[in-house]
Amino acid sequence: MNQYSPVAEANPYQDVFDRLQARAPALARTTAAERIAKLRALYQAVYELRAEIGQAGHDELGMDGKLHLIPLKEEINFFCERLESWMGNEAVEDVPMLQGRKAYIHWEPKGVVLHLSTWNSPVLISLSPLISMIAAGNAVVLKPSEVAPLSAEMVRQVIEKAGLADDVAVITGGPEVAQALLKLPFNHICYVGNNRVGRLVMEAAARHFAGVTLEMGGKNPAVIERDADLEDAGSKIAFVRHLIAGQVCLCPDYLLVHESIKDAYVDKLKEKITAFYNPNGDGFKSSEDLPRIVNERHTLRIKALIDDAVSKGARVLMGGEVDPATRFVSPTILDNVTEDMEIFQEEVFGPVLTVHSFSTREEAVKEIAKRPKPLGLYVFTQDRETADWYIDHTRSGSAAVNNAAIQANIPTLPFGGSNHSGIGRLGGKAGFQEFSNGRAVVEDALDPAQGAPMFYPPFPKEAAMFVEHLLMP
């Protein structure tokens, strides 16, 4: 070998990939009953480890991690009740081009899937997409986020306890682990996180022509129209914005409030936030119901966004208190936010809301269009025509009317973003199909004598007349 020839560095996870790739053909042939048994075993392991999962969530995010397991149970039940029918060949409409032939879609696994999970709901977000991957018959490498290491360890224990280690390899570690995994020729990559890493995932997937599923969040608006029920809109925004201390990809990030009710709505919102998280007047920091930011670095990032906005003229209408040492950010409302402030474009991922007023709905839509398409968009109104108008005149991965974030837990709905906020769909039948290849199949009759007619050359003169007939409008 030429001493100057570069030597390819061995990938530390090549043997894991090779083992799963060898396992994939057998998994592709598993029955619905076998896959359902795996899903049942997965939840049984989760249930048996629920106390430890709960404690890990408390230590990392200041909330009981068991709360994240409720939607997981519902999703597994939903899959188990329907998987057999989803796996069956899907008939398609008979059209003239078939000429009597049979046609259908055959759902088959993608093969070996890489799942890069995030930290804000670490056990749920690691296991929820995994349900779809297992149901579709794939082999999986699952890398939980290193930002929540206790929960990552719980995910590893769940897979081992469920007896799924032959099908699902859990690999823990930091960015260097993800970088090494992304060099391997996976058939599909699923990533839940931010835009910056999402771009890196797409670039890595392109090298191997792998499919991608990306869920990346964004600046989610909530429109509070002049006819909105202030009590209802105040309660729901106050609650959803502070789920996991605002560290939820579907949380509303900024409010567009009709100018005629802005002051009244902000007062109501402050009232509801106080009632939820400071009912006794002991301070938000004393609340056992207000979670914490995942680590000091993320706390400082949120503080920097608040400080930048205030230094450029934003008004603090509520909160603004940050204690990096205890990972505490108080519920915060900012006014007078302008486009030169970092918080205008950057997703906060914390308990901070910015408030903007508008005079016409066209003005509200124009404001929304200044930012990339969000993952979720919310409209609060008591008028059917107004709700429909906003849905028709905006674009987002998902939406809700008179509520927020609820769409993520509806298993009959496909969940995902649009462009910057995500690619592909998760959950329910859409999730099963996302991690499957829909192979188009056409069959002639097994007995050629019973098959559809076939035309071979040489063609008679009448063939030209037949073509002309077919082309007639």
Side-chain angles (χ1 to χ4, degrees):
M1 178 184 292
N2 188 315
Q3 62 176 321
Y4 298 109
S5 298
V7 177
E9 184 179 348
N11 193 301
Y13 305 108
Q14 185 68 56
D15 58 337
V16 176
F17 179 85
D18 291 344
R19 176 177 64 79
L20 290 173
Q21 191 173 48
R23 174 77 172 147
L27 291 178
R29 294 189 294 272
T30 52
T31 65
E34 290 170 324
R35 298 179 192 181
I36 288 169
K38 293 177 182 180
L39 296 180
R40 297 290 189 200
L42 180 68
Y43 184 73
Q44 184 62 36
V46 166
Y47 181 73
E48 292 176 11
L49 291 168
R50 66 192 183 280
E52 293 89 341
I53 292 171
Q55 186 62 49
H58 184 272
D59 293 344
E60 292 170 333
L61 291 164
M63 63 176 294
D64 189 342
K66 291 197 298 291
L67 296 174
H68 303 168
L69 305 182
I70 297 172
L72 190 72
K73 175 188 175 183
E74 295 303 313
E75 186 171 11
I76 286 178
N77 287 339
F78 187 83
F79 265 76
C80 290
E81 291 167 2
R82 294 162 176 81
L83 182 57
E84 185 173 7
S85 64
W86 294 347
M87 285 177 61
N89 291 335
E90 184 177 329
V92 298
E93 182 182 354
D94 191 15
V95 293
M97 286 298 292
L98 279 173
Q99 297 185 10
R101 299 177 178 90
K102 178 182 178 181
Y104 54 90
I105 300 170
H106 175 73
W107 296 103
E108 60 191 22
K110 288 288 181 71
V112 186
V113 176
L114 172 62
H115 175 25
L116 302 173
S117 184
T118 191
W119 51 263
N120 58 321
S121 186
V123 175
L124 174 62
I125 296 177
S126 290
L127 299 183
S128 180
L130 182 64
I131 295 169
S132 297
M133 297 169 190
I134 292 173
N138 295 287
V140 182
V141 171
L142 167 56
K143 184 202 169 296
S145 173
E146 72 282 1
V147 177
L150 300 177
S151 294
E153 170 59 19
M154 294 315 306
V155 170
R156 187 194 65 77
Q157 290 187 31
V158 165
I159 297 303
E160 185 175 309
K161 194 175 189 67
L164 297 176
D166 288 343
D167 305 343
V168 181
V170 179
I171 298 177
T172 58
E176 71 287 351
V177 173
Q179 292 166 7
L181 290 171
L182 286 171
K183 294 177 181 178
L184 295 168
F186 287 94
N187 301 110
H188 195 95
I189 303 172
C190 176
Y191 168 70
V192 181
N194 59 50
N195 291 131
R196 180 184 61 82
V197 177
R199 290 187 180 94
L200 298 176
V201 170
M202 287 196 74
E203 291 171 2
R207 289 195 290 270
H208 300 290
F209 296 99
V212 293
T213 304
L214 306 175
E215 195 277 276
M216 299 179 292
K219 297 288 286 185
N220 303 317
V223 179
I224 317 296
E225 263 291 354
R226 70 174 80 198
D227 66 336
D229 184 306
L230 300 190
E231 186 83 13
D232 182 62
S235 295
K236 288 173 179 172
I237 295 296
F239 174 68
V240 174
R241 173 71 268 193
H242 298 92
L243 286 172
I244 320 181
Q247 299 165 107
V248 176
C249 57
L250 274 173
C251 278
D253 223 57
Y254 66 101
L255 306 178
L256 293 167
V257 187
H258 193 273
E259 60 185 10
S260 66
I261 61 164
K262 180 184 175 185
D263 291 342
Y265 179 71
V266 170
D267 287 343
K268 180 60 67 175
L269 181 59
K270 290 162 65 175
E271 173 191 315
K272 293 297 182 182
I273 293 172
T274 301
F276 291 169
Y277 304 107
N278 188 22
N280 300 320
D282 298 328
F284 291 108
K285 203 170 185 179
S286 301
S287 174
E288 294 183 359
D289 298 313
L290 183 65
R292 293 296 184 262
I293 305 305
V294 69
N295 59 29
E296 184 176 346
R297 179 173 63 86
H298 282 268
T299 308
L300 289 170
R301 180 188 60 80
I302 297 169
K303 183 179 186 300
L305 290 174
I306 296 172
D307 291 347
D308 173 75
V310 171
S311 71
K312 294 175 181 175
R315 290 190 304 159
V316 179
L317 302 183
M318 181 180 197
E321 180 186 353
V322 179
D323 182 5
T326 59
R327 300 178 287 132
F328 170 75
V329 177
S330 66
T332 299
I333 302 174
L334 300 178
D335 196 6
N336 287 352
V337 171
T338 55
E339 294 184 40
D340 63 326
M341 301 173 185
E342 293 178 16
I343 202 169
F344 185 89
Q345 288 286 354
E346 185 173 337
E347 183 180 8
V348 178
F349 229 58
V352 181
L353 280 166
T354 63
V355 183
H356 312 255
S357 62
F358 68 92
S359 58
T360 67
R361 57 192 187 182
E362 289 80 9
E363 183 182 333
V365 166
K366 186 177 180 180
E367 183 68 26
I368 293 169
K370 291 178 181 178
R371 304 162 181 84
K373 297 173 188 174
L375 181 60
L377 181 145
Y378 311 114
V379 181
F380 287 82
T381 178
Q382 296 182 77
D383 180 63
R384 176 75 266 161
E385 189 274 334
T386 299
D388 291 340
W389 189 91
Y390 276 104
I391 297 298
D392 289 342
H393 287 78
T394 57
R395 297 292 177 267
S396 63
S398 63
V401 175
N402 292 325
N403 213 318
I406 193 171
Q407 66 270 32
N409 295 323
I410 311 298
T412 49
L413 285 176
F415 176 70
S418 180
N419 297 124
H420 283 74
S421 55
I423 297 172
R425 290 294 180 265
L426 297 171
K429 186 175 184 180
F432 167 79
Q433 294 180 346
E434 182 79 5
F435 299 105
S436 301
N437 174 50
R439 184 193 288 190
V441 180
V442 179
E443 293 185 4
D444 258 5
L446 298 180
D447 179 1
Q450 303 299 318
M454 189 71 178
F455 298 98
Y456 299 111
F459 301 114
K461 293 181 179 180
E462 291 80 9
M465 297 174 57
F466 182 61
V467 170
E468 287 295 323
H469 173 74
L470 290 177
L471 294 176
M472 290 177 60

